[in-house]
Amino acid sequence: MGENHETTHSEEHHHQELGFWRTYVFSVDHKVIGIQYAVTGLSFLFFGFCLMLLMRWQLAYPGEPFPLIGKLLGDSRMPGGIMLPEFYNQLGAMHGTIMVFLGVVPLAVGGFGNFVLPLQIGAPDMAFPRLNMASYWSYFLGGVVMFLSFFVPGGAAQSGWTSYPPLSVIAESGQTVWLLGMVFLITSSLLGSVNFIVTVIQLRVEGLTFMRLPFFVWSQFVTAFLLLLAFPPLEAAAFMQLMDRVANTSFFMPAGLVVSGQLVEVSGGGSPLLWQHLFWFLAHPEVYVLILPALGIVAEVIANNTRKPLWGYKSMVYSVLFLAFMSFIVWAHHMFLTGMGTVMSAFFQTTTMIISIPSVVIITALLLSLWGGSIRFNTPMLFALAFLPMFGIGGLTGLPLGLAAADIHLHDTYYVIGHFHYVVAPGTIFALFAGIYYWYPKATGRKMSEFLGKLHFWPSLLFMNGIFLPMFIQGLAGVQRRLFDGGVSYAHAEPVLFLNKVMTHSAWGLAIAQLPFVINFFLSLKRGEKVGSNPWQATTIEWLAPSPPPHGNFANVPVAYRTPYEYSVPGQASDYHPQFEPDRRVAGPPDPGEPEAAPATA
Amino acid sequence: MSEAIPYTVDIRPDTGLNNVKLGMWLFLASEVMLFGALFAGYILLRVGSEDWPAGNSILNVPLATLNTIVLITSSVTMVMSWASLLRKSFDKYRLYMGATVLLVVVFLVIKTIEYSAKFDHHLYPSTSTFLAIYFTLTALHGLHVIGGMAVNAYLWGPGAKMWRSAPEQFTNRVEAAGLFWHFVDLVWIFLFPVLYLL
Amino acid sequence: MTTHDTAEIDKHVRTYILVFVGLMALTLVTVAVSYLDLSIAAGVGLALLIAAVKGSLVACFFMHLINERKLILAVLLFTVLFFLAVLLLPVLTQSNAVEI
Amino acid sequence: MLKLFLPEVASAHAEQIDQLMGWMHWLMLVLFIGWSLLFAYVLIRFRRRRNPTADYRGLQSHASNWVEGAVAVAEVILLAAFSIPLYSARVDDLPSKDEALEVRIVAEQFAWNIHYPGADGVFGRTDPSLVDAETNPLGRDGSDPAGDDDVTTVNQLHLEVDRPVLIHLSTKDVIHSFNIPEMRVKQDAVPGMNIPVWFVPTKTSADLTAGRQGERSGGFEIACTQLCGMGHYRMRGFVTVHSTDDFKAWMAEQEEALSTSEEDDFWG
Ligand code: HEA
Ligand code: HEA
Ligand code: CUA
Ligand SMILES: [Cu+2]
């Protein structure tokens, strides 16, 4: 341990008066930043959710005026309350962008990562607190820019979250704003990921060897590497698209394009597929960025509520590492139908099949962790448990997409939409809910209501499946995605058209099912049951700090004595043996000088 | 409180690193991917084009050679400024760091001359894919140069006060700034032949 | 680079000067070569080879990679692998495209 | 099982793709049901009320390694024995130009321009700079005699049953994707590229509609599956698969119309 800080630390908490702005707004404290990230992320999730509700309404009742709100949105979007296709495309592109880049990742990485990770490794803060603040504000700016893009002439970006050129290059000015917003968001992610990696490597307390890290820390650590190395290519691509739009270059524009009868004035020579390569070079790792923190949360909650160690901790760690590595060389499975030859498609199909194996290993380990447990079904656990089969459905339906021949039929249909929503919505979002219920007491000192929690969980589970299961049926029938009218004019969509209403009503049901959560979230701030530092009787180091943790987190620098999940150790009085507690059976002072003691994992 | 964070200055025994250096290297790793993607764009566009102009038929090779020399020299003065700090010789540090900043200014001036010559001949990014990638790559590199210059100027001027209060931390900062600066140099070492000579 | 006694630093400085001379020489060589009438493949290969040598000189000596910690080398190793992936796979995919 | 949801099969290779998807979905189903049963069992058996103290060591068996291995093997088989050869047949085994019906399809916002080479089997030259949205959507060059007998339509693709079709797919503006669900063909049209698509229709349009009951009335359609702008949802084309004789008749009719219209209104 750094000798110099042990003294400054244990003395006292030197209370510099920071004032309101420095404490709550421009704070450098990882916990405040984490909460800022989480609240902003949740707000954007809510916003993305609202966009989706508009889309879903349109899909179920195409061409009909919107009740109530229809007229409010203005003639450029809904003349007479009837949605324009341009506006539908804006909603789609922005729903995807906001959910991925402004909702889930900021909540999962910025929120949970920032708040929990330093606590779990016993650190006083992140390695670079000011960089951390810069990262949040860059994200915030990116969010503001994206939000404002709805109000520029021509509206927000409308070329899909994938922004494929040439469509995106010839699109209205909203696309330029989208690109600028992305540059802010990418900057934020890069700053954040450097910070996370350094924090994990450098600030682990004594005794916390890599194989003793909680799985959540592993998942964030690996996620940070994905962000660090995969985002820059998209940044480069965003610059190039900006150049194409602003400086009239033709990185992505071949010669001889004719748009609405007019020859496009560009020098030509560019390749539209270059964008797709660079985009998916990020976006495939990005989908693991969406899932890994979720897996981390689920692992923590499952270990805690089965009251036993995770089964196969080591194989989970190795799988995550392998998965991260592989995720850099599968991206072109999104591009099978862009005219790829046999050799390259065989390569990308093979890597895609290979990458599914570590996911199977992880999900298996989590499932088998339940075996022999003494399972408590509290709200975080319910969400974590539901995550497993939901991720299972999402992951399994990824397999046919990974086979190029099957992808011929399934590509760009609702099957794909169903595939990834199962992983991100009842998957990741459920895991994030689990995390919120689980760490809320740490952040606020109060528990959320179990009753409202269950009232949130069961309807959510039902409606999520009501939305996304029919998508597979529509997809198999061949219904394309991104259809403004849900496919009413197509003959092949006819037999499955009625499902649109089922899905839309489920989506509105899902919205209502979130009310208990919102009420619970705010009500518990004042009314929740007060708890001590370790309400779940958990073993990882964050539960040593008071709830909520003060500035600097720990009164004394903790030491990690053992592996993270020592629950139900035979021969002990209580069923949990925290990482930060010295050995109970041995009297006398602990022996911290043994960081390499063999980790006991199954 | 940032003072409370371990290993900002001293080295963590089991990793052998302090936070700043590790952070800088990670940042550089992401930079490698940034320029890597642009190079990938370059290769793809070049392989896919029927007639790619020879760089020296459009660009000014002598000026660029001069700029290469300037940039390499600035890299040496940069590393020398750091070595001077290790030798506890602050005056030499000032001298070398000052030289580094001056050389950067020279680089930017030459770059400006190059750019304006292009514009005078009505050669813009929109003229051809070659010029598009030329302007994009050199402009992005130029932004890095400007960023590096700002940091170096700060460490030469107001930032140098730290030498008296926390010499070790200051030396670390100069080392990290140096890493960044050498990287900028390294990128140019590849840009130069790729754009001008091939 | 934990301890720095004067002798060691002097040795480093001498290396820096040598590297500097090497870089200058290679710069001139690469420009000179570009004026020769080499075939495209040979010209590209030679220019990239020289650039690679120069780049490694900077990385190894100015950036001290030659005796850097394993951790950093490992990070860079993976970076280089992914760098190659983003550099080569798009080109390979493109050249394997089906067209008539 | 999958047949319930998939569109009708109307091309020679569709059956094989369905088979691949069928096998894959069986694998998925078996895995999912297996896992779910285990999941349900563990949740009931190891709930706190039933099992108040947890077992520190947990499951001792490593049988899961075998399951994971089996999944890997199954994937390898599906990949090597089915998917790769099937896909390769799509992109490499193009039918010979003598036997196949060749068609150029040029996508645009938001229509499919169909271009038949006519009797001489040679497409007339086209040039983007000649495009006129009203009169010459394909940018045909009237000075090329090979184009004189070319038949063009908008959004109407006519095919001959049991005869391979070789489509030259391209686009004028943005990326579109050419899809006929019943034929199990889908291919992006990428600006700057000319991509082959081929298949053998095995059902005529009449067979298709005769086989359908109830409200499902439509015949084969071209769907655009890649977001291409605000009209993406209505970029629909129509496919008519004729019997051999009908196709000949249709083609003759077109040629006929061509020669009569050429006299009074030749737009080159
Ligand atoms: C978190 C996000 C996430 C995750 C984890 C995945 C995981 C996977 N994805 Fe997915 N994918 C997306 C998000 C994600 N994907 C998105 C957003 C898109 C579309 C983007 C767009 O076009 O807009 C997409 C699109 C997409 C495509 C392109 C489809 C197309 O456009 O045509 C492909 C093709 O290969 C694919 C494959 C896979 C595979 C093989 C996995 C594998 O990693 C999955 C491995 C997992 C398993 C194999 C499950 C194991 C489980 C069990 C064995 C059962 C367990 C059961 C119980 C516990 C009860 N995905
Ligand atoms: C992380 C990613 C993510 C998430 C979570 C979601 C969530 C949902 N998505 Fe989305 N979606 C995408 C990413 C995501 N989506 C992408 C990338 C696309 C493709 C876009 C494109 O084509 O370009 C897409 C497209 C897409 C379509 C297809 C549109 C089309 O092709 O035309 C549809 C259609 O139904 C849809 C629906 C839904 C639904 C019903 C949910 C629901 O599951 C929503 C569930 C969300 C919640 C339950 C949030 C709850 C949170 C709160 C209530 C906040 C409370 C706040 C406080 C306490 C402060 N999505
Ligand atoms: Cu054309 Cu969608
Ligand atoms: Cu993917």
Side-chain angles (χ1 to χ4, degrees):
Chain A
M1 255 301 76
E3 316 81 321
N4 54 348
H5 97 280
E6 207 139 309
T7 40
T8 51
H9 217 278
S10 44
E11 311 271 287
E12 56 16 80
H13 306 125
H14 34 167
H15 269 339
Q16 295 160 331
E17 285 307 320
L18 284 174
F20 173 79
W21 286 94
R22 295 277 303 279
T23 317
Y24 296 108
V25 183
F26 294 105
S27 170
V28 293
D29 186 319
H30 75 99
K31 297 178 293 296
V32 179
I33 296 176
I35 291 170
Q36 287 175 325
Y37 257 120
V39 171
T40 322
L42 274 171
S43 314
F44 273 114
L45 270 186
F46 179 69
F47 183 49
F49 190 71
C50 295
L51 300 182
M52 178 278 290
L53 289 176
L54 290 177
M55 283 155 70
R56 280 268 32 132
W57 190 269
Q58 159 69 20
L59 292 176
Y61 304 102
E64 290 176 33
F66 274 56
L68 303 175
I69 48 162
K71 300 250 164 58
L72 298 178
L73 288 167
D75 276 355
S76 62
R77 305 182 182 95
M78 295 202 187
I82 299 175
M83 188 184 286
L84 288 177
E86 294 90 321
F87 186 51
Y88 181 85
N89 287 350
Q90 291 173 36
L91 292 174
M94 295 310 284
H95 162 76
T97 307
I98 285 172
M99 283 300 196
V100 172
F101 296 111
L102 291 160
V104 171
V105 174
L107 178 55
V109 178
F112 284 108
N114 252 311
F115 188 90
V116 177
L117 183 138
L119 287 168
Q120 275 196 336
I121 61 172
D125 204 319
M126 295 288 273
F128 307 112
R130 259 173 298 172
L131 207 62
N132 206 12
M133 181 179 81
S135 159
Y136 171 74
W137 286 104
S138 180
Y139 156 60
F140 188 83
L141 272 177
V144 171
V145 169
M146 288 287 186
F147 180 75
L148 290 180
S149 74
F150 276 100
F151 305 101
V152 302
Q158 42 187 288
S159 311
W161 80 296
T162 48
S163 286
Y164 281 2
L167 182 63
S168 55
V169 173
I170 61 175
E172 307 266 356
S173 52
Q175 183 67 22
T176 306
V177 185
W178 187 90
L179 290 165
L180 289 174
M182 284 309 290
V183 171
F184 281 114
L185 296 176
I186 294 170
T187 309
S188 160
S189 280
L190 290 178
L191 297 180
S193 56
V194 168
N195 214 344
F196 276 87
I197 298 173
V198 175
T199 304
V200 173
I201 293 180
Q202 294 285 95
L203 304 194
R204 283 167 295 130
V205 288
E206 183 162 2
L208 197 60
T209 55
F210 271 99
M211 277 304 161
R212 286 178 174 186
L213 290 179
F215 189 70
F216 178 79
V217 176
W218 268 113
S219 72
Q220 291 282 344
F221 183 58
V222 171
T223 301
F225 270 105
L226 295 181
L227 290 173
L228 183 79
L229 298 179
F231 249 133
L234 182 64
E235 188 164 31
F239 286 144
M240 288 193 252
Q241 200 179 99
L242 267 176
M243 291 288 284
D244 271 9
R245 293 182 54 88
V246 179
N248 226 2
T249 56
S250 46
F251 284 114
F252 305 126
M253 306 284 274
L257 290 190
V258 182
V259 175
S260 12
Q262 292 294 312
L263 201 62
V264 182
E265 291 294 331
V266 290
S267 65
S271 157
L273 293 185
L274 174 59
W275 167 270
Q276 296 195 17
H277 281 295
L278 297 178
F279 180 86
W280 291 115
F281 188 86
L282 159 86
H284 187 84
E286 178 78 12
V287 308
Y288 292 98
V289 170
L290 297 172
I291 202 71
L292 289 183
L295 284 169
I297 293 170
V298 168
E300 297 297 305
V301 174
I302 284 189
N304 178 257
N305 289 301
T306 52
R307 317 302 297 164
K308 60 180 280 299
L310 285 181
W311 189 89
Y313 169 85
K314 268 192 191 161
S315 56
M316 284 170 71
V317 169
Y318 294 134
S319 297
V320 161
L321 292 172
F322 182 62
L323 187 103
F325 178 82
M326 291 303 293
S327 74
F328 283 95
I329 48 172
V330 302
W331 77 82
H333 64 209
H334 298 268
M335 302 169 57
F336 284 140
L337 300 188
T338 53
M340 198 186 292
T342 302
V343 179
M344 288 318 282
S345 80
F347 174 79
F348 284 110
Q349 290 179 69
T350 310
T351 53
T352 302
M353 289 302 116
I354 293 175
I355 203 177
S356 67
I357 298 299
S359 304
V360 174
V361 171
I362 295 172
I363 212 80
T364 307
L366 287 173
L367 175 59
L368 295 182
S369 293
L370 301 171
W371 188 281
S374 171
I375 302 172
R376 312 193 286 207
F377 291 99
N378 48 30
T379 311
M381 186 62 163
L382 287 176
F383 276 106
L385 287 174
F387 170 90
L388 296 180
M390 296 298 109
F391 173 76
I393 298 179
L396 288 172
T397 48
L399 298 178
L401 298 175
L403 298 177
D407 195 43
I408 293 176
H409 184 59
L410 300 172
H411 177 66
D412 271 344
T413 62
Y414 265 87
Y415 196 92
V416 177
I417 303 280
H419 152 63
F420 73 80
H421 278 91
Y422 257 102
V423 222
V424 294
T428 300
I429 299 245
F430 271 16
L432 295 176
F433 281 138
I436 291 174
Y437 285 101
Y438 185 64
W439 280 301
Y440 189 91
K442 178 67 17 186
T444 64
R446 290 171 190 272
K447 255 190 188 173
M448 292 172 79
S449 149
E450 274 293 313
F451 171 73
L452 287 174
K454 287 181 176 138
L455 201 61
H456 175 206
F457 172 73
W458 289 106
S460 291
L461 181 65
L462 178 75
F463 289 127
M464 281 284 190
N465 286 286
I467 305 172
F468 298 119
L469 211 52
M471 288 191 179
F472 295 125
I473 297 175
Q474 284 202 336
L476 285 169
V479 180
Q480 313 97 291
R481 57 192 286 202
R482 295 163 166 171
L483 291 179
F484 152 78
D485 60 1
V488 282
S489 58
Y490 281 103
H492 66 267
E494 237 173 75
V496 290
L497 219 49
F498 72 98
L499 291 171
N500 276 337
K501 291 207 174 54
V502 178
M503 294 190 271
T504 297
H505 295 155
S506 299
W508 283 86
L510 184 65
I512 293 167
Q514 303 312 305
L515 288 179
F517 171 70
V518 177
I519 294 171
N520 202 351
F521 190 89
F522 290 107
L523 207 62
S524 303
L525 285 175
K526 286 267 177 301
R527 298 273 208 76
E529 177 198 339
K530 274 202 173 146
V531 294
S533 65
N534 193 357
W536 307 110
Q537 309 188 305
T539 51
T540 41
I541 298 176
E542 78 267 32
W543 303 105
L544 170 64
S547 308
H551 200 62
N553 295 344
F554 301 96
N556 296 300
V557 179
V559 175
Y561 295 97
R562 59 187 60 77
T563 50
Y565 309 112
E566 292 294 286
Y567 289 101
S568 304
V569 184
Q572 289 204 345
S574 84
D575 73 345
Y576 66 111
H577 196 177
Q579 228 178 344
F580 47 82
E581 264 182 28
D583 220 329
R584 284 173 186 152
R585 277 172 301 180
V586 186
D591 175 17
E594 213 184 44
E596 287 306 333
T601 34
Chain B
M1 265 133 285
S2 40
E3 312 90 76
I5 292 162
Y7 311 121
T8 31
V9 183
D10 30 294
I11 283 170
R12 181 177 165 120
D14 58 350
T15 61
L17 293 164
N18 62 36
N19 299 347
V20 178
K21 189 163 171 187
L22 180 58
M24 181 50 80
W25 271 111
L26 289 167
F27 175 67
L28 293 184
S30 85
E31 293 279 276
V32 169
M33 296 307 290
L34 178 69
F35 283 99
L38 285 164
F39 277 115
Y42 167 87
I43 299 180
L44 205 70
L45 295 179
R46 178 164 186 169
V47 169
S49 84
E50 285 112 42
D51 54 335
W52 190 264
N56 57 16
S57 67
I58 298 180
L59 305 175
N60 189 332
V61 175
L63 265 188
T65 312
L66 184 60
N67 242 354
T68 311
I69 291 171
V70 169
L71 210 54
I72 290 178
T73 315
S74 80
S75 227
V76 181
T77 54
M78 185 82 204
V79 75
M80 290 302 289
S81 74
W82 176 66
S84 312
L85 285 183
L86 293 184
R87 286 164 155 159
K88 312 265 179 288
S89 146
F90 186 67
D91 293 341
K92 277 241 178 84
Y93 161 75
R94 266 267 158 99
L95 196 71
Y96 279 122
M97 193 56 126
T100 311
V101 176
L102 275 182
L103 285 165
V104 183
V105 173
V106 173
F107 179 89
L108 287 172
V109 168
I110 297 180
K111 198 83 240 168
T112 317
I113 296 174
E114 244 192 287
Y115 268 30
S116 46
K118 294 284 151 319
F119 295 148
D120 287 347
H121 288 87
H122 299 290
L123 296 174
Y124 301 107
S126 54
T127 310
S128 73
T129 308
F130 171 76
L131 281 165
I133 196 102
Y134 161 78
F135 276 111
T136 309
L137 271 169
T138 51
L140 196 65
H141 178 260
L143 285 179
H144 282 77
V145 171
I146 293 173
M149 181 178 74
V151 172
N152 289 349
Y154 171 79
L155 290 175
W156 178 81
K161 276 198 278 264
M162 195 186 218
W163 171 249
R164 268 186 282 143
S165 56
E168 229 183 308
Q169 196 173 356
F170 183 66
T171 314
N172 284 343
R173 283 193 179 178
V174 173
E175 185 185 10
L179 284 177
F180 179 74
W181 190 248
H182 302 313
F183 177 78
V184 171
D185 185 20
L186 205 150
V187 170
W188 181 260
I189 285 178
F190 281 94
L191 282 186
F192 174 55
V194 164
L195 291 176
Y196 291 82
L197 303 182
L198 296 183
Chain C
M1 310 233 97
T2 16
T3 53
H4 301 282
D5 50 60
T6 331
E8 202 187 334
I9 299 169
D10 287 344
K11 212 174 90 202
H12 279 291
V13 169
R14 250 174 280 131
T15 327
Y16 299 151
I17 309 286
L18 277 178
V19 170
F20 175 60
V21 174
L23 288 172
M24 286 299 163
L26 285 172
T27 305
L28 298 180
V29 170
T30 194
V31 175
V33 165
S34 79
Y35 285 103
L36 296 179
D37 245 347
L38 291 179
S39 75
I40 294 200
V44 172
L46 200 57
L48 287 183
L49 183 72
I50 296 175
V53 173
K54 287 167 74 183
S56 340
L57 283 176
V58 172
C60 289
F61 296 102
F62 290 174
M63 302 169 92
H64 311 294
L65 267 190
I66 192 126
N67 51 6
E68 194 46 273
R69 299 283 150 188
K70 283 219 184 56
L71 186 69
I72 284 178
L73 295 182
V75 169
L76 292 181
L77 173 74
F78 283 107
T79 310
V80 168
L81 285 181
F82 300 142
F83 173 81
L84 291 178
V86 81
L87 213 58
L88 295 180
L89 286 182
V91 189
L92 292 177
T93 311
Q94 210 87 327
S95 56
N96 186 230
V98 285
E99 288 207 60
I100 42 175
Chain D
M1 157 199 77
L2 229 44
K3 282 278 163 226
L4 264 172
F5 307 117
L6 290 166
E8 252 127 311
V9 166
S11 74
H13 72 279
E15 195 59 57
Q16 293 163 299
I17 289 193
D18 288 5
Q19 210 172 46
L20 171 64
M21 287 196 282
W23 286 117
M24 194 56 176
H25 280 81
W26 276 117
L27 173 69
M28 289 152 61
L29 201 67
V30 166
L31 280 175
F32 186 73
I33 291 181
W35 253 276
S36 299
L37 289 177
L38 182 61
F39 188 56
Y41 172 76
V42 209
L43 291 186
I44 294 166
R45 167 68 184 77
F46 296 104
R47 68 188 192 277
R48 165 159 262 191
R49 235 177 314 140
R50 171 89 191 273
N51 197 33
T53 47
D55 174 9
Y56 177 76
R57 294 185 348 230
L59 184 69
Q60 290 305 298
S61 151
H62 282 265
S64 63
N65 293 352
W66 290 100
V67 179
E68 283 153 13
V71 176
V73 171
E75 286 181 3
V76 168
I77 294 174
L78 287 172
L79 188 66
F82 293 88
S83 185
I84 293 179
L86 259 175
Y87 183 82
S88 158
R90 291 293 89 220
V91 298
D92 292 339
D93 300 352
L94 304 185
S96 81
K97 305 214 168 185
D98 321 322
E99 62 165 328
L101 167 68
E102 277 190 280
V103 196
R104 267 184 83 220
I105 298 188
V106 183
E108 72 174 43
Q109 288 172 326
F110 302 95
W112 303 95
N113 295 292
I114 318 274
H115 184 179
Y116 293 90
D120 63 355
V122 181
F123 294 107
R125 201 169 39 244
T126 57
D127 183 337
S129 63
L130 296 176
V131 168
D132 181 304
E134 300 292 304
T135 56
N136 190 0
L138 279 164
R140 288 172 59 191
D141 181 349
S143 65
D144 180 9
D148 288 350
D149 61 349
D150 288 12
V151 170
T152 62
T153 74
V154 177
N155 286 336
Q156 297 288 348
L157 178 63
H158 290 260
L159 303 174
E160 186 182 334
V161 76
D162 293 329
R163 171 164 172 211
V165 202
L166 177 58
I167 295 170
H168 302 232
L169 184 65
S170 61
T171 166
K172 293 197 320 204
D173 37 41
V174 303
I175 304 180
H176 303 266
S177 192
F178 173 85
N179 173 214
I180 308 175
E182 292 82 0
M183 307 283 174
R184 308 289 188 273
V185 290
K186 186 180 288 156
Q187 173 61 55
D188 285 2
V190 183
M193 289 173 79
N194 214 340
I195 304 176
V197 186
W198 78 276
F199 56 97
V200 189
T202 53
K203 256 195 193 138
T204 63
S205 295
D207 290 346
L208 181 79
T209 32
R212 281 181 172 169
Q213 321 93 341
E215 51 198 291
R216 297 187 61 185
S217 47
F220 298 116
E221 286 171 356
I222 308 176
C224 181
T225 47
Q226 182 64 268
L227 180 64
C228 51
M230 64 103 183
H232 162 63
Y233 70 98
R234 57 175 165 81
M235 187 165 158
R236 184 163 58 122
F238 302 91
V239 187
T240 316
V241 183
H242 300 273
S243 67
T244 310
D245 293 340
D246 288 356
F247 182 76
K248 289 218 173 77
W250 176 81
M251 195 46 108
E253 203 179 300
Q254 297 301 309
E255 300 278 5
E256 179 92 6
L258 206 60
S259 51
T260 49
S261 72
E262 232 162 68
E263 278 145 28
D264 42 75
D265 150 53
F266 177 70
W267 39 258

